[in-house]
Amino acid sequence: MGAQKSIHAGRAKIDVNVDFTHKLCTSLMFPTFRDTSSPLSLVIGSLCIKHPNLFGGSEKLDVSWDKGLYDSNVLVAFRRPRPEWRPQQCFFIQHSLSPEIGVHGTPVDNFSRSGSGGVNLSKLALGLDLSEPASSKWSSTTSIKFEHVRPINDDGRAITRDLDGFPITCSGNTHDSMVVLKQESRFAKATDQGLSHFSMQIEQGIPVVSKWLIFNRFKFVASKGVRFGPAFLLASLTGGSIVGDMAPYQAFAIGGLGSVRGYGEGAVGSGRSCLVANTELALPLNKMTEGTIFLDCGTDLGSSCLVPGNPSMRQGKPGFGYGFGYGLRFKSPLGHLQVDYAINAFNQKTLYFGVTNLASST
């Protein structure tokens, strides 16, 4: 059920988008780890409010709320108009609540799924984004934010240790606090014959207070696509590393859709470093459908033992894995449907469904 409404206040036009769906079947597709006796627990949806002229000077206010079965996210963003040649500013405050499956989840069914480890993360962040004017095919964003992370169990109570008794936070208390300076640069180029994409992120934890986390985290994604007649080959490489203070939930989680298909989220491993390679060949079957074959592989580069508490070893994760298979891509005016059939190194088969670019109801 979706709705879109425009409210006129003076000369300003406020857009309100609401989309709520009662998902009775979703709990049958995934393991249930929480009490779903409340009708609201099976409701997913989103609410978005946009004001294009908050104080009469073209200031923009965006408020969004997204709710899933087990997660939620609230974001308030305020943008002030600036000349195009100057960095664009965005002040934001965000609160999210989500299960931490990638590191503390338990692999099941030959690592094809990840069950709950009883750890959820409540995050509160506020800060400033500065988007530099795009230059040729390059763009960059600099941000600084304060982040407060509080682990809780499935009942909503604050916890400091996981189910095995190991600390969840870096501080050893019920929360971690940090000020993070982040720099992200992106390159994108697309032609009729292919595409190139590269992004690099560097995060630095700033020691404003002695007990706050001090770390340096680096991540890159490089993709190259080449067209061979009607076929299109896309290859990508993702890697990263973190040094300094670290909580287990900050580890790189390997496995799952968008990483190594055929495995559950984080079921390959979690470490201070990672490297993931993806290759996919797409062939058009008709105007609306494409067939694909793919090969994914990933490794923690032997760094799982450097994560505090070594959750990857305790859960028996292999640290290296590969998955291969085939899929279909359906295009329609309502959105794109993706179906993937993957087989992992343990010959366990997994079927993935995904829907993207849904059109909003009007």
Side-chain angles (χ1 to χ4, degrees):
M1 179 177 65
Q4 179 177 349
K5 186 176 182 179
S6 296
I7 303 174
H8 294 269
R11 295 183 177 180
K13 179 182 176 183
I14 305 174
D15 292 329
V16 180
N17 294 284
V18 183
D19 184 12
F20 287 103
T21 307
H22 196 262
K23 291 290 185 181
L24 292 176
C25 62
T26 308
S27 60
L28 301 177
M29 298 170 59
F30 302 98
T32 301
F33 304 107
R34 300 188 183 183
D35 180 16
T36 57
S37 58
S38 170
L40 291 178
S41 65
L42 295 177
V43 173
I44 66 173
S46 62
L47 170 66
C48 182
I49 302 174
K50 296 179 179 290
H51 197 303
N53 193 23
L54 187 61
F55 299 120
S58 298
E59 301 90 352
K60 297 180 181 180
L61 177 68
D62 295 339
V63 180
S64 64
W65 173 65
D66 297 288
K67 180 187 179 300
L69 282 175
Y70 307 120
D71 62 329
S72 65
N73 182 73
V74 179
L75 174 64
V76 179
F78 173 74
R79 297 174 176 85
R80 295 190 303 178
R82 307 190 77 188
E84 293 184 359
W85 52 271
R86 297 189 62 186
Q88 301 302 303
Q89 295 181 347
C90 175
F91 299 91
F92 66 89
I93 181 170
Q94 182 178 20
H95 179 267
S96 65
L97 176 63
S98 61
E100 205 300 286
I101 301 294
V103 175
H104 292 97
T106 304
V108 294
D109 292 343
N110 284 331
F111 302 93
S112 65
R113 294 187 296 116
S114 294
S116 172
V119 177
N120 306 270
L121 297 181
S122 174
K123 295 183 179 181
L124 175 65
L126 55 96
L128 169 67
D129 281 341
L130 292 174
S131 298
E132 298 288 341
S135 175
S136 182
K137 300 175 178 63
W138 285 92
S139 62
S140 65
T141 302
T142 302
S143 66
I144 186 168
K145 67 177 179 179
F146 166 78
E147 190 171 47
H148 179 88
V149 182
R150 186 168 66 98
I152 60 177
N153 61 16
D154 291 341
D155 297 323
R157 298 175 181 174
I159 54 177
T160 60
R161 297 182 178 273
D162 60 22
L163 296 179
D164 295 328
F166 287 84
I168 301 174
T169 60
C170 180
S171 65
N173 299 322
T174 57
H175 66 272
D176 283 328
S177 297
M178 63 199 85
V179 171
V180 181
L181 178 65
K182 178 180 177 181
Q183 173 70 39
E184 181 175 5
S185 299
R186 296 173 298 275
F187 171 85
K189 178 182 178 180
T191 66
D192 292 339
Q193 300 302 316
L195 60 85
S196 300
H197 176 268
F198 177 78
S199 67
M200 180 176 61
Q201 299 177 4
I202 299 177
E203 294 180 327
Q204 177 67 56
I206 302 175
V208 177
V209 178
S210 60
K211 295 183 179 180
W212 291 4
L213 274 64
I214 308 173
F215 62 90
N216 184 277
R217 180 184 176 99
F218 167 79
K219 181 180 179 181
F220 74 90
V221 180
S223 302
K224 179 67 176 180
V226 181
R227 187 172 298 280
F228 299 97
F232 188 79
L233 176 65
L234 179 64
S236 64
L237 184 67
T238 303
S241 184
I242 180 172
V243 295
D245 296 338
M246 177 187 183
Y249 56 78
Q250 292 179 299
F252 292 95
I254 308 162
L257 191 63
S259 179
V260 182
R261 284 165 285 190
Y263 291 81
E265 182 181 353
V268 173
S270 55
R272 277 187 177 262
S273 302
C274 76
L275 197 62
V276 176
N278 309 96
T279 305
E280 183 169 293
L281 178 65
L283 291 165
L285 302 180
N286 54 50
K287 292 183 178 180
M288 305 296 290
T289 309
E290 286 184 343
T292 65
I293 55 175
F294 60 83
L295 172 64
D296 303 332
C297 61
T299 173
D300 62 16
L301 299 174
S303 64
S304 63
C305 60
L306 303 178
V307 177
N310 201 348
S312 184
M313 184 197 70
R314 287 188 281 120
Q315 295 151 5
K317 297 179 180 179
F320 171 82
Y322 64 87
F324 61 92
Y326 54 88
L328 293 173
R329 310 287 184 265
F330 302 96
K331 299 178 182 179
S332 74
L334 296 178
H336 294 181
L337 173 64
Q338 175 178 334
V339 181
D340 285 331
Y341 181 79
I343 304 172
N344 66 17
F346 300 91
N347 203 34
Q348 184 69 37
K349 303 171 180 63
T350 306
L351 190 63
Y352 297 96
F353 293 92
V355 181
T356 59
N357 300 326
L358 283 175
S360 301
S361 302
T362 57

